[in-house]
Amino acid sequence: MTPPQPATEPQRLDALRRYEILDTPREQAFDDIVMLAAQICRTPIAMVSLIADDRHWVKSRFGTSFVESSREYSFCAHVIVDPDRVMEVNDATGDPRFSNNPFVTGEPGIRFYAGAPLVTPDGHVLGALCVIDRAPRSLSDEQRTALHILSRHTIAQLELRRRTRELEAEIAERRRSERALEHSERFLQSTLDALKAEIAILDHAGVIIAVNAAWTRFSLRNAAASDGLGPGANYLAVCDRGAAQGAEDAAAVASGIRAVLSGRMEEFRQEYACHGSDENHWFLVRVTGFGPENERRAVVAHVDISERKQAEEELVRLHRQLLDASREAGMAEVATSVLHNVGNVLNSVNVSATLVGDRLRKNSTASFSRVTALLRTQAADLPGFFARDPRAGQLVTYLEQFGQHLRTEQHAMLAELDNLRANIEHIRDIVTMQQGFARLSGIAESVDPAALIADARRMNQDALDRHGVTLVASVDEVPRIEVDKHKVLQVLVNFLRNAIDACVLSGRTDKRIVVHVHRGTKGVVFSVADNGVGIPPENLKRIFNHGFTTKKDGHGFGLHSGANAAREMGGAVTVHSDGPARGATFTLEVPVEGNPETSALPPLQLRSTTAGCAA
């Protein structure tokens, strides 16, 4: 008969697996139990049997070599159904559950069986402590009670075995953790010691719990001043003493450490000076918090940043030199434009003067001299000459034509003289305008953006006319801007010159430049768009770099100096092009209100304090 299964069979099997007892070697504690069971119950056979999912396995045995069988034929498999009583079979041949069992009909010829359930503390039956005889019989009450006690002792041994195994695993894990922690601590210490910064780790009260080699060396060098800065010293107390002596940096560091340890700040940093009699030093103190709120810790690191400070000062000096050079280059760019325009106008002046000279050299004054000589020879009888001489009639016609010719020549030369005077006036205007810019360079003033466009156009008008480039300007309703007029004009003149060159290089007949002034997100925007040769994508990111140019005779100063000028005014320049032959648009955006020239300089953040080092 197939044994029934308990209602909690899956949980029972899980409990059995937790003990990790199946297929383990024999153990003396369990062998002693089965021997006692056999002696008390006076049976030739006793076993500690465990019922797995499909088999009956014997942990310990007395009087038999039996190890395991199918669960289907197991007597003990019937015991696990009832955890509250000892199952007793007086004669298996008369019990319908076992009469046909091969262990009854064959070896070992079981007749009597008694099994006490092995019940775990959580109520699962793992198997049975059983006694077997080859003859029918029964147990006395004392024997039955003893068998039940021994089953509980078996479970106690299983529990002890399980707990011992768990403790051994915990001990092994703890040893592994201790070794890992020791390795981690050695690694952390060696890592900290390899750093140049002076590092200490503080507990929640500001007490130093660990330091690196650099911190230790500092403490040894400054034993008198530091008053003990090794593990166990309270670093907050050291900072507080420094603050009480007037060291502002020490007070700030103490406040920052407390803010980090309290969780109000994740990180605190401050630069401080430590100036000696022979040299100056700068340090950066950085405090970083870590750990849970009730076990907050802080890492304090002091880094010598003297070299960085010196590099920053050198960077500022070089930056100022670059600004000066760029400003001079920009002034040269505008001056070059002025000279270029003046030269073109002077060419026109030369042409006008040549035309006047040629007309004067080719006039008819020689013929008129012959007429006066003829009249002088006839001066004694002019009336008779006009009455009798046929030349007199021709003379009248000649004088009429000569008068007409003189009037034509007069008008032509007057026109050339007007043109000459206009060109000279143009030169005077350009020179006057440049003189005005030179006087105002570096001074912010309120300027009408439309007037700036007009000035830039006027300075490039000759080039526009000479190359047949159409310029269309439009100005939206924008406010006046507070800027250095010279710098804005420097950028716009350069934009227009580049746009004219791009249009000329394109070879197209409809050369066109569109200038537009409008409000931007940060101020007023001047845009100069042309339909010229365009800009390849790879050049867009470099076009404002110092020395970059695509022109054979270019020097790469113009756009770069313009970009610098824009930054000095708190503005920016940008460029956009869809590629070769697609034209380009350059923009300048400047704030409505003026910006200090030094806005482009990196902050020095230098301090003049001479307070002692807080490290």
Side-chain angles (χ1 to χ4, degrees), residues 334-347:
V334 175
T336 299
S337 177
V338 170
L339 292 175
H340 182 72
N341 287 321
V342 169
N344 290 330
V345 178
L346 287 175
N347 286 336

Side-chain angles (χ1 to χ4, degrees), residues 329-341 344 456-457 459-464 466-467 469 471 489-505 513 515 528 530 533 551 553-555 557-559 586:
M331 293 172 66
E333 189 77 21
V334 175
T336 299
S337 177
V338 170
L339 292 175
H340 182 72
N341 287 321
N344 290 330
R457 179 174 189 166
M459 296 181 72
N460 286 277
Q461 189 62 54
D462 184 71
L464 292 167
R466 188 170 68 259
H467 295 295
V469 180
L471 188 148
L489 190 68
Q490 171 188 336
V491 179
L492 295 179
V493 166
N494 194 272
F495 280 2
L496 284 176
R497 286 190 63 188
N498 278 280
I500 292 170
D501 292 342
C503 288
V504 172
L505 290 174
I513 297 174
V515 179
V528 178
D530 65 72
V533 292
K551 300 176 183 178
D553 57 348
H555 46 62
F557 290 161
L559 289 175
F586 286 84

Side-chain angles (χ1 to χ4, degrees), residues 319-321 323-324 327 441-444 484 487 564-570 594-602:
H319 189 71
R320 290 189 183 278
Q321 288 183 353
L323 286 177
D324 292 340
R327 187 179 296 108
S441 178
I443 300 175
D484 182 342
K487 291 177 182 177
N564 282 338
R567 280 195 295 270
E568 291 174 24
M569 295 184 290
N595 195 58
E597 180 181 277
T598 55
S599 63
L601 298 179

Side-chain angles (χ1 to χ4, degrees), residues 49-108:
S49 300
L50 300 170
I51 306 303
D53 53 350
D54 59 353
R55 62 182 176 134
H56 167 184
W57 181 79
V58 178
K59 170 62 179 174
S60 287
R61 64 199 67 81
F62 177 82
T64 181
S65 60
F66 180 76
V67 176
E68 69 174 53
S69 71
S70 169
R71 180 172 174 173
E72 180 182 359
Y73 304 117
S74 172
F75 278 67
C76 295
H78 292 266
V79 176
I80 65 174
V81 178
D82 189 352
D84 298 323
R85 70 181 184 89
V86 175
M87 186 184 86
E88 191 171 343
V89 179
N90 301 112
D91 186 356
T93 59
D95 193 317
R97 295 174 295 175
F98 307 110
S99 57
N100 294 323
N101 191 295
F103 296 117
V104 174
T105 59
E107 287 296 328

